[in-house]
Amino acid sequence: MQENVILDIPESSENGWQPPVLKKEEIPEDPQSCADIFFMQYIICILLLTALFSIRIYDEKIFQNTIAIFQQRTHADSESWILHLIALVQSLWN
């Protein structure tokens, strides 16, 4: 929570000089709700799927190239220790 600090200087001179007073006010945060975030992700997903569908209708070859590039850039080779672990589990299972 954020705080807003206000310097309050008394204006009445009836009681003599008064020192300035610092007052702190809490500023309520404006949290972004989960519904707003979900809605934005939903819209982006629909736009991406619409773009891919339009590319597929327009030219199948471009669509296949796009999918191949996506798979190439997002899929990494499995780590060797994971492959050894899977082989060990399979050997224990049999």
Side-chain angles (χ1 to χ4, degrees), residues 39-55:
F39 183 72
M40 290 303 295
Q41 290 176 344
Y42 183 72
I43 295 297
I44 290 171
C45 183
I46 287 177
L47 290 174
L48 286 174
L49 290 175
T50 303
L52 283 175
F53 183 70
S54 300
I55 290 172

Side-chain angles (χ1 to χ4, degrees), residues 6-20:
I6 299 174
L7 179 62
D8 186 22
I9 301 174
E11 295 182 13
S12 65
S13 60
E14 298 170 358
N15 298 334
W17 181 81
Q18 298 281 330

Side-chain angles (χ1 to χ4, degrees), residues 5 9 12-14 18 22 25 27 31 47 56-58 66 68 78-80 83-84 87-89 93:
V5 179
I9 301 174
S12 65
S13 60
E14 298 170 358
Q18 298 281 330
L22 289 176
E25 294 180 355
I27 301 173
L47 290 174
R56 184 175 182 186
I57 289 175
Y58 177 70
T66 305
S78 298
E79 294 289 332
S80 61
L83 296 175
H84 291 298
L88 176 67
V89 170
W93 187 265

